[in-house]
Amino acid sequence: MKIFYFGGQKSGKTSKASAKALELSKDKKPYYVATYDNSYEDEAMSERISRHIEDRKDDFLSIEEPKDLVKVVREGETYLIDCMTMFILNNMDDGLNHMKIQLNKIFELDCNVIFILNDIGNGVIPMERYSRDFVDMSGLLGQYLAQKCDEVYEVKYSLEKRLK
């Protein structure tokens, strides 16, 4: 089963997706794949990461992998990938096709994967080119995930709406 959750920042995506991962994993702990590249020395993000680790430590096995999801996803397991937005940022220079190639390999595997993506395409078009490219790639990858996944959920204010 491949499932896609999207919504704005702090919309409740992770809590809804976490509940779904725990439901799907049955008697095994699911994997939480953190995609944030913690090399930026951002103190606020470090604190956020610490809170996330503390919140999930009893329920998930954690893996940190910012770029190569194929290297960590295996058959027969359940994964929560949080989040695809950071995965896009980490792989921007390699291009959208590179990301789709990775994801195609994951879609071929017999495992449960829950993808989370921040919905950032509802705002003003950024002035700076790299930011525009990032927003465009996020929208395009979101469309790809929505098409390929078995279920798609939009989350707003901790309310989820199944779209597919």
Side-chain angles (χ1 to χ4, degrees):
M1 175 80 59
K2 308 300 187 285
I3 302 171
F4 176 38
Y5 280 84
F6 73 94
Q9 187 171 335
K10 294 296 181 190
S11 62
K13 301 177 302 294
T14 298
S15 61
K16 295 296 182 184
S18 295
K20 181 65 89 170
L22 291 168
E23 174 188 320
L24 290 174
S25 63
K26 298 184 171 75
D27 58 347
K28 292 167 74 173
K29 276 190 182 185
Y31 290 90
Y32 185 105
V33 181
T35 59
Y36 182 71
D37 180 357
N38 202 17
S39 65
Y40 301 109
E41 298 181 23
D42 181 333
E43 189 175 319
M45 280 301 287
S46 293
E47 289 175 19
R48 180 182 275 197
I49 291 165
S50 295
R51 273 194 318 274
H52 271 278
I53 291 169
E54 184 63 29
D55 288 348
R56 69 179 183 253
K57 72 177 181 182
D58 294 331
D59 297 323
F60 288 86
L61 301 168
S62 294
I63 300 172
E64 292 186 25
E65 180 48 56
K67 288 193 77 153
D68 188 358
L69 298 177
V70 174
K71 148 169 121 172
V72 298
V73 176
R74 300 287 176 253
E75 292 209 0
E77 302 291 346
T78 299
Y79 298 88
L80 171 62
I81 300 176
D82 194 6
C83 77
M84 295 305 291
T85 309
M86 288 292 125
F87 171 77
I88 293 167
L89 182 62
N90 299 334
N91 286 284
M92 281 279 295
D93 294 335
D94 296 323
L96 184 62
N97 193 47
H98 169 77
M99 292 179 243
K100 285 184 176 180
I101 289 169
Q102 279 194 56
L103 294 173
N104 282 335
K105 290 177 183 176
I106 290 170
F107 276 101
E108 292 173 3
L109 297 174
D110 183 17
C111 60
N112 298 314
V113 182
I114 301 167
F115 302 94
I116 297 175
L117 177 71
N118 286 323
D119 187 5
I120 59 172
N122 290 323
V124 176
I125 298 171
M127 296 283 289
E128 195 267 319
R129 180 181 175 150
Y130 197 77
S131 297
R132 276 194 314 273
D133 290 347
F134 175 71
V135 171
D136 288 350
M137 260 192 219
S138 179
L140 293 169
L141 199 69
Q143 289 180 54
Y144 168 84
L145 289 169
Q147 291 170 1
K148 297 281 284 184
C149 284
D150 303 299
E151 296 177 8
V152 178
Y153 296 90
E154 180 180 22
V155 182
K156 291 184 178 184
Y157 305 109
S158 287
L159 300 171
E160 64 184 309
K161 180 178 181 181
R162 184 171 176 172
L163 302 178
K164 177 181 174 184

